[in-house]
Amino acid sequence: MSPLLQVAGIEKRYGARIGCTDVSFDLYPGEVMGIVGESGSGKSTLLNCLAGHLAPDAGRVIFDTRHMGPVDTVTMSEPERRMLSRTDWAFVHQHARDGLRMSVSAGGNIGERLMAVGDRHYGRIRAAALDWLDRVEIDGARIDDRPSAFSGGMQQRLQIARNLVTGPRLVFMDEPTGGLDVSVQARLLDLLRGLVRRMGLSAIIVTHDLAVVRLLADRLMVMKDGRVVESGLTDQVLDDPQHGYTQLLVSSVLQV
Amino acid sequence: MSDYNFAYLDEQTKRMIRRAILKGLAVPGYQVPFASREMPMPYGWGTGGVQVSAATLTPEDRLKVIDQGADDTTNAVSIRKFFERTAGVATTEATQEATVIQTRHRIPEAELTEDQILVYQVPIPEPLRFLEPRKTETRKMHSLQEYGLMHVKLYEDISQHGAISTAYAYPVRVADRYVMDPSPIPKFDNPKMEMAAIQLFGAGREQRIYAVPPYTRVVSLDFEDHPFEATKADHPCDLCGAGDSYLDEVIMDDAGNRMFVCSDTDYCRSRREEAA
């Protein structure tokens, strides 16, 4: 099996400061990669470089596209990259407000990607929106409500539905459970795990919450000061941390 | 009369505006930036249209100005007077006799010819404005033809009202390329935009000019299962009896009486004169 995403030597600098440097990994279809580390360790910078929101200063991000085979998304033209981010990629923001159109109804939010790729049949778009509301456990009766009338957890689920409606193969998630209370987090994680498994999605999840990666991620990378200090299978890294920083990270989680 | 240059603006400014107009005609539907001047009227009163008209007029032209179809409303009267004073051109109320027609929010009922130029006053030229607030982003969306968002607006209409309720400024796609705001004309007028006359659009405050050349394909956006419909009040004109013209609803008293009359005053008058 060939990797879906090959990342080689990604580096991003902010002037003299390092955002992230020398990050390389392969992601295979159906695999979920977790990236953990403290605030400022370069996780989000890395994710934004991979998703094409930031231009890395060095390195390659090779994505196995449906039609053209493996292509370097860093050097690909902007229209192609934007097309990719509407079809095969999805990006779940930490704050649902960044990923949703707050002035557009839930149905319109879900339908936007379908219309962006050329669907011009209202009935079909509506049916897809209802189907996806159901899949993310939002009552279909709320299809015409605006996201501003939704709770934080519902907004986050709506954002996920909006992203997955075009059947992407790779999902980038930036702290998907940040800012939600624990019971809502648990429900969201349960939902995400189900969707990822059922749709065979590959995902890259950035978080500082070790419980999230424990539940979702197959593999784990630990970042500190812009570098990857340790990587491996999730259980292996969390149960037997080798690097001093990982040991600190694992031991600083409160045991209830 | 000698106090002003012909048609108020100086020659260099008119050249600048003409360059923008030519560029607009070469790229139908594309919003061309131009250095909009202060005009002796407030923004929102047609400063863009007036500048385009000023750059278009020649001493031989015959000008008609309409406001919501009418020749006798404040905006139309004052702009017509403005050009009578500053350009000394002939003016008319008859659509067929005019060579340049400046309009606010209507296309005349009478079919326009290749010898005519229709100048629209545009308040907000960017059709994506209320969907995407960032100008940098809307420009990018135009250049990459990412127009899915326009349909999100129509989707919202249908989901809330059961039909596309956008009744004016109905978005169109010009020459299969740019999505364009046709200015706040009623959607009844949208099908008329594939016409023989040149159509120029001027937005003074927003500093944009765009154009539709003669016989250019102009398609109103819609859904396959909710096709575009050019709607009007289901009523004939109470003055001239026309069943095919766009109507204004006029409230007659506080007892619920109302009448429907043609919004195009010249069309209505000429029909009544013919009948008499």
Side-chain angles (χ1 to χ4, degrees):
Chain A
M1 193 160 57
S2 59
L4 184 68
L5 190 74
Q6 291 168 275
V7 179
I10 284 291
E11 176 176 281
K12 175 73 187 174
R13 286 174 174 274
Y14 299 107
R17 278 184 300 119
I18 295 174
C20 62
T21 185
D22 195 27
V23 179
S24 304
F25 66 91
D26 287 350
L27 185 75
Y28 286 85
E31 194 177 32
V32 178
M33 165 77 87
I35 302 174
V36 295
E38 60 193 5
S39 298
S41 60
K43 315 180 295 272
S44 294
T45 299
L46 173 63
L47 193 73
N48 283 319
C49 284
L50 300 180
H53 298 172
L54 284 175
D57 296 317
R60 283 169 300 153
V61 180
I62 296 169
F63 181 73
D64 188 9
T65 59
R66 279 182 224 227
H67 304 299
M68 296 175 290
V71 180
D72 188 350
T73 62
V74 176
T75 54
M76 121 195 296
S77 73
E78 194 179 10
E80 285 176 317
R81 192 162 50 234
R82 284 172 74 110
M83 191 63 187
L84 205 57
S85 65
R86 285 202 300 269
T87 52
D88 264 356
W89 288 359
F91 197 103
V92 177
H93 292 265
Q94 173 176 6
H95 302 292
R97 287 173 173 272
D98 297 337
L100 292 172
R101 287 195 191 276
M102 298 307 282
S103 56
V104 168
S105 70
N109 264 293
I110 298 178
E112 181 179 343
R113 271 167 83 108
L114 293 173
M115 293 181 249
V117 296
D119 199 330
R120 296 286 179 265
H121 191 282
Y122 176 81
R124 272 206 306 269
I125 294 165
R126 186 97 176 154
L130 275 170
D131 176 43
W132 269 98
L133 282 177
D134 184 51
R135 283 207 231 179
V136 296
E137 298 163 21
I138 297 176
D139 184 0
R142 305 209 55 182
I143 185 168
D144 292 331
D145 290 354
R146 293 188 175 182
S148 46
F150 285 10
S151 69
M154 282 169 77
Q155 286 182 3
Q156 198 58 284
R157 277 179 279 147
L158 179 62
Q159 192 194 178
I160 289 164
R162 165 185 160 90
N163 271 285
L164 297 187
V165 68
T166 47
R169 293 188 296 156
L170 177 58
V171 185
F172 301 99
M173 293 189 224
D174 190 3
E175 306 269 11
T177 59
L180 301 175
D181 66 52
V182 279
S183 60
V184 177
Q185 271 192 30
R187 201 161 150 218
L188 186 71
L189 285 174
D190 194 42
L191 173 80
L192 273 177
R193 192 165 52 165
L195 287 172
V196 165
R197 292 284 177 269
R198 228 176 304 135
M199 297 176 70
L201 294 175
S202 303
I204 298 175
I205 300 179
V206 160
T207 181
H208 58 251
D209 187 343
L210 294 182
V212 170
V213 287
R214 176 77 93 173
L215 267 171
L216 284 175
D218 303 307
R219 281 198 299 147
L220 194 60
M221 289 198 315
V222 182
M223 288 189 74
K224 179 167 170 47
D225 300 333
R227 291 166 201 280
V228 176
V229 293
E230 187 166 356
S231 64
L233 296 174
T234 303
D235 291 348
Q236 179 194 334
V237 173
L238 292 182
D239 293 342
D240 183 18
Q242 300 295 312
H243 191 272
Y245 175 71
T246 318
Q247 292 170 355
L248 180 75
L249 200 66
V250 170
S251 62
S252 55
V253 174
L254 278 178
Q255 303 293 329
V256 185
Chain B
M1 189 50 236
S2 56
D3 296 346
Y4 291 107
N5 187 38
F6 177 74
Y8 187 74
L9 292 172
D10 61 278
E11 291 304 312
Q12 286 304 320
T13 299
K14 286 196 274 186
R15 287 182 61 171
M16 175 271 293
I17 294 172
R18 285 175 197 143
R19 278 198 295 271
I21 292 173
L22 289 175
K23 184 170 177 182
L25 282 166
V27 192
Y30 172 73
Q31 300 165 41
V32 185
F34 79 110
S36 177
R37 297 291 192 252
E38 289 270 345
M39 297 304 282
M41 56 172 65
Y43 287 126
W45 285 55
T47 50
V50 163
Q51 289 178 76
V52 171
S53 292
T56 310
L57 281 174
T58 65
E60 294 76 40
D61 271 319
R62 186 179 290 272
L63 179 72
K64 171 182 164 80
V65 186
I66 52 174
D67 171 7
Q68 304 272 17
D71 290 278
D72 54 2
T73 46
T74 319
N75 203 206
V77 170
S78 50
I79 291 175
R80 190 162 56 231
K81 269 198 189 142
F82 175 77
F83 280 118
E84 278 171 359
R85 264 183 68 183
T86 60
V89 291
T91 56
T92 178
E93 294 195 1
T95 305
Q96 285 89 344
E97 287 171 19
T99 53
V100 176
I101 303 173
Q102 181 171 335
T103 174
R104 172 173 175 267
H105 308 357
R106 266 319 304 277
I107 295 175
E109 302 291 351
E111 196 169 326
L112 301 184
T113 66
E114 289 181 9
D115 306 325
Q116 293 177 306
I117 298 176
L118 188 57
V119 178
Y120 295 78
Q121 301 171 198
V122 182
I124 293 166
E126 178 53 72
L128 301 162
R129 170 61 66 245
F130 295 109
L131 303 161
E132 172 55 65
R134 289 166 294 179
K135 278 188 184 174
T136 47
E137 186 65 16
T138 54
R139 271 207 290 274
K140 190 162 278 175
M141 290 160 83
H142 279 295
S143 63
L144 300 179
Q145 301 192 50
E146 288 181 2
Y147 291 133
L149 200 52
M150 208 70 248
H151 275 84
V152 173
K153 180 185 185 316
L154 302 181
Y155 170 94
E156 290 287 285
D157 267 7
I158 302 173
S159 71
Q160 282 166 26
H161 308 289
I164 298 177
S165 60
T166 302
Y168 64 95
Y170 192 103
V172 293
R173 189 154 197 180
V174 181
D176 299 320
R177 178 59 183 86
Y178 284 97
V179 165
M180 185 185 91
D181 183 343
S183 87
I185 59 171
K187 66 176 169 184
F188 175 79
D189 284 342
N190 270 21
K192 293 190 212 159
M193 294 188 79
E194 289 184 4
M195 63 164 72
I198 293 175
Q199 298 171 79
L200 306 174
F201 299 78
R205 183 187 51 213
E206 303 289 322
Q207 314 199 326
R208 292 290 182 278
I209 284 172
Y210 51 101
V212 177
Y215 307 112
T216 304
R217 202 168 131 82
V218 179
V219 179
S220 305
L221 302 181
D222 59 3
F223 283 103
E224 289 160 21
D225 47 349
H226 284 84
F228 171 80
E229 244 183 308
T231 51
K232 64 183 274 290
D234 185 19
H235 207 277
C237 172
D238 285 330
L239 295 179
C240 73
D244 59 351
S245 68
Y246 191 75
L247 301 174
D248 285 339
E249 181 179 353
V250 184
I251 308 278
M252 302 303 288
D253 52 27
D254 57 1
N257 285 317
R258 59 191 58 186
M259 72 186 285
F260 290 90
V261 293
C262 291
S263 103
D264 187 335
T265 51
D266 171 59
Y267 182 74
C268 198
R269 185 182 46 78
S270 60
R271 273 180 57 88
R272 275 179 288 152
E273 281 171 5
E274 264 172 47

